[in-house]
Amino acid sequence: MEAPPVTMMPVTGGTINMMEYLLQGSVLDHSLESLIHRLRGLCDNMEPETFLDHEMVFLLKGQQASPFVLRARRSMDRGGAPWHLRYLGQPEMGDKNRHALVRNCVDIATSENLTDFLMEMGFRMDHEFVAKGHLFRKGIMKIMVYKIFRILVPGNTDSTEALSLSYLVELSVVAPAGQDMVSDDMRNFAEQLKPLVHLEKIDPKRLM
Amino acid sequence: MQREEKQLEASLDALLSQVADLKNSLGSFIYKLENEYDRLTWPSVLDSFALLSGQLNTLNKVLKHEKTPLFRNQVIIPLVLSPDRDEDLMRQTEGRVPVFSHEVVPDHLRTKPDPEVEEQEKQLTTDAARIGADAAQKQIQGLNKMCSNLLEKISKEERESESGGLRPNKQTFNPADTNALVAAVAFGKGLSNWRPSGSSGPGQPGQPGAGTILAGASGLQQVQMAGAPSQQQPLLSGVQMAQAGQTGKMPSGIKTNIKSASMHPYQR
């Protein structure tokens, strides 16, 4: 007997709400080596992974006051890798016990015509930058140490200039909603990186 | 009765393992002192002491644990004394007690301290009783205050020397840079396509980090201003297109399309 058609199966539908837990800090260029060494010791044993990514941020201005933001990222040093589209929600504030910044997160891999698709949908590129740095993992935690380069001529990723003399350090975990122990693990890991880097939750709205 | 016996056994096992650990670390420390004394460093000695103190602490905790029965209430009585070698006993004590005889028992099973020690303890208790409760309390408070003063001084010294030592030579991160980088990633502050909300557009990129100011900010600003007229035009037109009333309906239509696409396709 053939299997019943899929549409007849009970499907609850919807997707798991994934949240991104984030801690950020920075390290000056001359201390980068010591930080990399420490991370290599603390994190999972793997070949040091570097990345060179080009990220474009698209805005869709609707009738509401706040525009809809989507981030498209492509790898510049790995040919053939899919583009990465990401939505990040507003950070959930209010809980002082939570040690990390928590926001809703949706990650999708796409094909290369992502920018054309977004432009057709009505999105407009707001800003772009190039991120170059190192990637480490520890269990489900991902640690990225990267330098942000400003793109001087839009669309031309060769003419770039570093934004500052520091590397941005991000410790992030993408986990289903409600797992607050994750932020405790993140804080314990962040303790081990002091006093080289101070990883803390930084509210982006405060910096506007 | 059964439960108490089990508790006793369990606590005895725990004690045994703790004491064995303590013995091992003491043994290794003694070995280190005897054989490597010319290469020994103070931090290494401190490490050994810390290990011992930690183990003593856990031993104390095990003894104080609520599940531990009062050992004081237990009595050990030797039932059989013999001058013959006992292989079992040898094995259990790792070769230290070969014979359970009249010489060994008084040492191992004693519960009273030495006579001299007992004398000293008696003297101390009579002295303490003689002072009187008030004076004793005052002395206790004085001691506590001195200890806390000392602790405060030490921690203040430590804090000051740490921050003083770090600032001149070992600053590994710049909080201003952190904020600039986070702002850049979060909403594009300082990146070339950022539309200045006020008039501080070209001035903004010069702000983050002292480095950009030093590394030829004038060159940077020239590029910015040269590129600005050609950049801003297509950008502004893009903005206007999105904001104009005639395309006002389109974005909302697009938005609802996105919403329906994100719903599960089987939910129909």
Side-chain angles (χ1 to χ4, degrees), chain A residues 65-86:
Chain A
S66 58
F68 190 73
V69 178
L70 277 184
R71 294 163 186 274
R73 203 157 174 145
R74 70 175 178 106
S75 170
M76 281 165 58
D77 56 350
R78 272 181 210 135
W83 284 55
H84 179 205
L85 183 65
R86 177 172 246 214

Side-chain angles (χ1 to χ4, degrees), chain A residues 9-80:
Chain A
M9 314 269 271
V11 171
T12 46
T15 53
I16 305 171
N17 221 14
M18 295 300 266
M19 309 296 279
E20 185 201 35
Y21 296 78
L22 184 67
L23 283 176
Q24 288 166 311
S26 77
V27 71
L28 291 169
D29 286 349
H30 55 74
S31 307
L32 176 73
E33 278 307 306
S34 3
L35 179 65
I36 300 277
H37 282 136
R38 197 182 277 206
L39 283 172
R40 280 186 73 174
L42 287 172
C43 297
D44 292 346
N45 192 13
M46 41 175 251
E47 281 304 312
E49 214 175 293
T50 56
F51 65 91
L52 179 63
D53 281 352
H54 173 208
E55 174 155 334
M56 294 169 271
V57 178
F58 288 86
L59 287 189
L60 182 65
K61 296 249 184 182
Q63 283 158 348
Q64 301 97 318
S66 58
F68 190 73
V69 178
L70 277 184
R71 294 163 186 274
R73 203 157 174 145
R74 70 175 178 106
S75 170
M76 281 165 58
D77 56 350
R78 272 181 210 135

Side-chain angles (χ1 to χ4, degrees), chain B residues 115-134:
Chain B
E116 304 104 29
V117 178
E118 215 176 341
E119 267 302 314
Q120 282 183 345
E121 217 178 313
K122 211 165 32 156
Q123 193 154 23
L124 279 173
T125 35
T126 44
D127 278 343
R130 207 176 347 116
I131 296 183
D134 288 339

Side-chain angles (χ1 to χ4, degrees), chain B residues 2 15 27 39 60 90 123 152 159 175 216 240 243 266:
Chain B
Q2 272 283 5
L15 260 184
R39 286 191 298 277
N60 263 335
M90 268 275 276
Q123 193 154 23
E152 241 185 70
R159 243 181 298 133
Q240 280 165 6
Q243 282 174 344
Y266 293 136

Side-chain angles (χ1 to χ4, degrees), chain B residues 27-68:
Chain B
S28 61
F29 188 31
I30 291 175
Y31 178 84
K32 201 160 56 163
L33 280 174
E34 282 180 356
N35 296 11
E36 300 173 9
Y37 59 86
D38 45 353
R39 286 191 298 277
L40 211 52
T41 59
W42 180 235
S44 159
V45 171
L46 270 183
D47 278 342
S48 312
F49 272 124
L51 180 64
L52 286 170
S53 119
Q55 285 181 335
L56 280 169
N57 257 333
T58 38
L59 190 62
N60 263 335
K61 272 206 209 106
V62 167
L63 282 173
K64 280 200 214 141
H65 197 281
E66 53 204 23
K67 287 225 178 80
T68 330

Side-chain angles (χ1 to χ4, degrees), chain B residues 191-204:
Chain B
L191 300 173
S192 62
N193 287 355
W194 185 64
R195 295 183 297 283
S197 57
S199 54
S200 56
Q204 201 77 0

